[in-house]
Amino acid sequence: EAALLQQLPLFMAAVLVLNATPGVDLLLTVSRTAQSGMRAGFMAALGINAGCALHALAAAFGLAALLAWSAAAFTLVKWVGAAYLVWLGIGMLRNAWRPSAAAAATAQAGRAHDVSPAADFRRGLLTNLLNPKVALFMLAFLPQFIPAQALHKTAAFLALGAIFIVQSLLF
């Protein structure tokens, strides 16, 4: 397990670079923060990291291998994820096209209903879970830092997944 600890600084640096690279998760967090404040952005980030945790667990226990092996499963998850992102985009466009006075009134009246912390968490969770690239990323990235001679590969996988998630949440 000493080899795993030796690679930990490299792993943490790689995770930092990945977190700083713009993608769907980062854009969702930034847009929710800009639209509705820090609480909304934080809840979206919590949802995203909950999705990462589920992906890491699935990858650690081999479920993500199914997505890598089955083209049909991968395609299904990809299309469901794409449909969800289109749905989010249409909602953003509708809000952007509303007349400014009406949008302000609607935003004021519907703030508690449309922008709840639970809705932001769900949005982050679904955006991450429905992105099959995250599952394949976890399956391909985390094992690179687990030495072949490690006795407890699943435990090492889970530990690296936890470190990934904590660092991502802090980012």
Side-chain angles (χ1 to χ4, degrees):
E1 308 308 321
L4 181 63
L5 290 176
Q6 289 174 341
Q7 292 190 18
L8 195 54
L10 178 61
F11 174 77
M12 293 179 79
V15 170
L16 180 62
V17 169
L18 291 169
N19 283 324
T21 304
V24 174
D25 291 342
L26 181 61
L27 293 175
L28 175 66
T29 304
V30 170
S31 70
R32 291 305 303 137
T33 302
Q35 289 172 352
S36 299
M38 285 187 55
R39 183 168 125 181
F42 182 71
M43 291 307 293
L46 281 178
I48 288 164
N49 281 282
C52 284
L54 292 173
H55 280 298
L57 287 169
F61 294 108
L63 297 177
L66 175 65
L67 290 178
W69 177 74
S70 170
F74 178 80
T75 301
L76 176 65
V77 172
K78 186 167 78 171
W79 281 107
V80 169
Y84 179 69
L85 292 175
V86 167
W87 180 75
L88 286 177
I90 289 171
M92 291 173 142
L93 287 173
R94 272 195 315 228
N95 288 336
W97 287 337
R98 287 185 181 146
S100 60
T106 303
Q108 187 67 17
R111 184 162 279 143
H113 179 265
D114 291 337
V115 189
S116 71
D120 285 321
F121 180 87
R122 262 191 323 275
R123 185 176 290 164
L125 178 68
L126 289 173
T127 297
N128 188 274
L129 283 179
L130 295 175
N131 186 350
K133 291 178 184 177
V134 177
L136 293 175
F137 169 78
M138 290 286 187
L139 190 63
F141 180 71
L142 295 182
Q144 303 303 314
F145 295 93
I146 300 173
Q149 69 273 18
L151 296 176
H152 306 286
K153 288 181 178 61
T154 301
F157 208 117
L158 292 171
L160 290 177
I163 291 168
F164 181 93
I165 291 158
V166 168
Q167 191 175 350
S168 297
L169 186 59
L170 291 174
F171 182 81

